[in-house]
């Protein structure tokens, strides 16, 4: 009997929430009509996306209530309302989910409160009948379980009205995917532009300046060769030093584009070289990422380059900001995914706004449809986990 009473109490709570939402539905119908009038006048078209968002929140609340009662989730399938006002209005009007939610809103206004009014007399009768039936005769309750049945009926109706068709779910997922790819493409374009500007700056401020200085010294040496051979030899020695420095600058620029060590030693070897030169005590563990160059064990060049720069950026951040002397790097592959994990035991608190290069890392990884997860509570440790899809 106690279990029956608890379930009946939960059923009444569910039906009470449905009745309150039904009252809100009645009020919201006025908002929908006002939005329709404003949209037809064109001037108030900006209200429509906000109304659609309010409708989605109400439907989302109902989905959560149904999930609490039934234990099964009702997935959402909405077209994102993003972009310019025209795009948001068009998405709100053309999204089939908008009309599905409006249909639920209108019907729920009727059955939401009606079922509660049916359940209340059943509950009163059940308390009288089952009180005698169970308390005196020791039998199982027969009337009170009907309240839970009514709650089941309300949840079933709401679930059927709010559940999207398979076609609508596929269309919504496709729309979300297009939106995600649009964002990642913009990030990739921004990262590519920043990389080009960095290369141009390095060539202009470094290599070009040294080559100009070398050319000037060679010219001075030519003019001074007959009159002052010693001065000419000194100028040529300076020019050679400038040439060496220019070559060093060029190697640095080339490493910033695609490190040659990746081609020579593979990803695991390149990461070990990074660890050795990072200034930290770095433990590297590589599973299934061998130091070979055969196609059977190598990721695509773009994936290897992204993984290399992720590790380089993470170790640089750890050396500069963490305050730790130790770090670890783990590389693994499986299921067509390359996984990178970089951990340090420093002070933590890393975030995208901290100027630590995490935003550039996210953009580089997102351009390859990968994911970045940063866990860095204050006090440490900091763990950066990256997954890059690739074909092995």
């Amino acid at each position: 009997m106690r279990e029956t009473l608890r379930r009946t109490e939960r059923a009444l709570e569910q039906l009470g929430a449905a009745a309150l939402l039904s009252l809100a539905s009645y009020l919201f119908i006025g908002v929908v009509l006002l939005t329709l009038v404003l949209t037809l006048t064109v001037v108030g078209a900006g209200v429509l996306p906000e109304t659609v968002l309010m409708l989605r929140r109400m439907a989302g609340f109902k989905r959560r209530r149904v999930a609490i009662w039934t234990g099964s989730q009702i997935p959402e399938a909405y077209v994102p309302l993003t972009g310019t006002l025209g795009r948001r209005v068009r998405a709100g009007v053309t999204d089939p989910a908008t009309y599905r939610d409006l249909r639920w809103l209108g019907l729920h206004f009727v059955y939401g409160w009606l079922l509660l009014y049916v359940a209340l007399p059943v509950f009163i009768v059940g308390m009288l009948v089952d009180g005698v039936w169970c308390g005196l005769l020791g039998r199982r309750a027969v009337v009170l379980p009907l309240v839970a049945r009514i709650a089941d009926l309300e949840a079933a109706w709401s679930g059927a009205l709010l559940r999207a068709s398979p076609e609508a779910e596929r269309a919504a997922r496709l729309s979300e995917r297009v939106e995600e790819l649009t964002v990642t493409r913009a990030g990739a374009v921004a990262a590519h532009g920043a990389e080009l500007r960095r290369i141009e700056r390095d060539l202009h401020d470094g290599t070009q300046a040294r080559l100009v200085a070398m050319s000037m010294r060679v010219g001075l040496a030519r003019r001074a060769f007959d009159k002052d051979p010693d001065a000419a030899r000194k100028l040529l020695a300076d020019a050679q030093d400038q040439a060496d420095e220019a070559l060093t600058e060029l190697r640095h620029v080339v490493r910033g584009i695609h490190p040659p060590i990746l081609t020579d030693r593979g990803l695991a070897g390149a990461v070990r070289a990074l660890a050795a030169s990072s200034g930290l005590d770095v433990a590297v563990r590589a599973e299934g990422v061998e130091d070979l160059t055969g196609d059977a064990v190598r990721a695509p060049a773009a994936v290897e380059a992204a993984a290399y720069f992720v590790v380089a950026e993470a170790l640089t951040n750890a050396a500069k900001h963490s305050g730790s002397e130790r770090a670890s790097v783990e590389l693994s592959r499986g299921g067509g995914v390359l996984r990178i994990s970089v951990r340090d035991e420093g002070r933590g608190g890393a975030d995208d706004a901290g100027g630590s290069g995490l935003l550039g890392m996210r953009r580089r990884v997102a351009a390859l449809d990968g994911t970045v997860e940063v866990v860095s509570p204050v006090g440490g440790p900091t763990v950066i986990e990256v997954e890059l899809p690739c074909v092995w």
Side-chain angles (χ1 to χ4, degrees):
M1 182 65 178
R2 289 181 179 178
E3 181 62 30
T4 301
L5 287 174
R6 281 196 293 268
R7 182 166 174 79
T8 302
E9 181 182 356
R10 289 181 57 237
L12 289 174
E13 179 184 349
Q14 180 74 11
L15 292 170
L20 291 175
L21 189 60
S22 179
L23 176 61
S25 302
Y26 173 75
L27 299 175
F28 192 75
I29 289 174
V31 176
V32 171
L33 294 176
L34 177 62
T35 300
L36 180 61
V37 173
L38 292 175
T39 303
L40 291 176
T41 62
V42 179
V43 178
V47 180
L48 190 141
E50 301 303 322
T51 304
V52 172
L53 287 175
M54 290 176 61
L55 177 61
R56 290 181 179 183
R57 293 189 188 100
M58 291 182 65
F61 173 78
K62 187 59 187 179
R63 288 187 180 90
R64 291 190 294 273
R65 294 298 308 178
V66 171
I68 291 173
W69 178 254
T70 63
S72 59
Q73 299 290 332
I74 302 176
E76 295 183 350
Y78 293 120
V79 175
L81 297 182
T82 56
T84 62
L85 176 60
R87 287 184 59 187
R88 288 187 286 128
V89 170
R90 192 159 48 248
V93 172
T94 59
D95 187 4
T98 301
Y99 302 98
R100 182 180 66 242
D101 289 350
L102 285 173
R103 180 185 60 186
W104 161 79
L105 186 74
L107 293 176
H108 187 268
F109 168 66
V110 177
Y111 70 79
W113 60 269
L114 183 61
L115 290 179
L116 177 64
Y117 286 171
V118 172
L120 286 176
V122 173
F123 172 72
I124 296 172
V125 173
M127 290 296 294
L128 296 174
V129 173
D130 288 335
V132 176
W133 187 253
C134 298
L136 297 180
L137 302 180
R139 304 293 182 87
R140 297 183 61 181
V142 293
V143 179
L144 285 177
L146 294 178
V147 179
R149 298 277 184 86
I150 296 173
D152 289 338
L153 182 62
E154 192 276 334
W157 286 354
S158 297
L161 290 170
L162 290 173
R163 186 171 289 107
S165 65
E167 293 78 10
E169 288 187 13
R170 285 193 295 269
R173 285 196 297 267
L174 178 61
S175 179
E176 289 178 0
R177 182 60 175 158
V178 169
E179 189 70 23
E180 178 184 350
L181 290 176
T182 301
V183 173
T184 56
R185 183 185 65 180
V189 170
H192 179 67
E195 190 73 8
L196 288 178
R197 289 190 295 272
R198 182 191 66 80
I199 294 172
E200 180 184 8
R201 184 175 60 252
D202 290 346
L203 289 175
H204 182 272
D205 298 341
T207 307
Q208 178 176 296
R210 298 187 189 283
L211 289 176
V212 169
M214 182 186 69
S215 176
M216 292 176 61
R217 281 173 171 76
V218 170
L220 292 173
R222 285 182 57 189
R223 287 192 291 271
F225 188 77
D226 293 332
K227 297 179 180 180
D228 191 352
D230 292 337
R233 279 192 291 270
K234 185 178 184 305
L235 288 170
L236 287 175
D238 291 342
Q240 185 177 8
D241 292 339
Q242 293 288 340
D244 292 339
E245 292 175 359
L247 286 174
T248 302
E249 292 282 349
L250 282 175
R251 292 191 187 98
H252 176 74
V253 172
V254 169
R255 283 197 297 270
I257 299 172
H258 185 82
I261 193 172
L262 278 176
T263 304
D264 298 337
R265 297 176 57 182
L267 179 59
V271 168
R272 289 192 176 97
L274 273 176
S277 61
S278 68
L280 299 174
D281 181 11
V282 182
V284 179
R285 180 182 177 186
E287 295 182 358
V289 188
E290 293 82 0
D291 296 336
L292 302 175
T293 57
D295 292 339
V297 294
R298 295 292 295 271
V303 174
E304 280 195 343
Y308 177 87
F309 286 118
V310 163
V311 175
E313 185 66 38
L315 291 180
T316 300
N317 291 342
K320 288 183 178 180
H321 307 290
S322 72
S324 174
E325 296 180 355
R326 293 186 301 276
S328 63
V329 179
E330 293 187 7
L331 306 173
S332 63
R333 65 178 176 91
V337 176
L338 173 64
R339 297 177 179 86
I340 306 107
S341 177
V342 183
R343 177 189 176 103
D344 69 70
E345 303 297 332
R347 61 177 61 95
D351 56 34
D352 291 355
S356 57
L358 290 177
L359 180 59
M361 183 188 301
R362 291 185 187 277
R363 285 177 172 175
R364 186 183 290 272
V365 172
L368 298 175
D369 206 19
T371 60
V372 178
E373 182 177 356
V374 179
V375 179
S376 183
V378 176
T382 296
V383 181
I384 300 175
E385 295 186 347
V386 176
E387 289 190 358
L388 290 168
C390 56
V391 179
W392 295 87

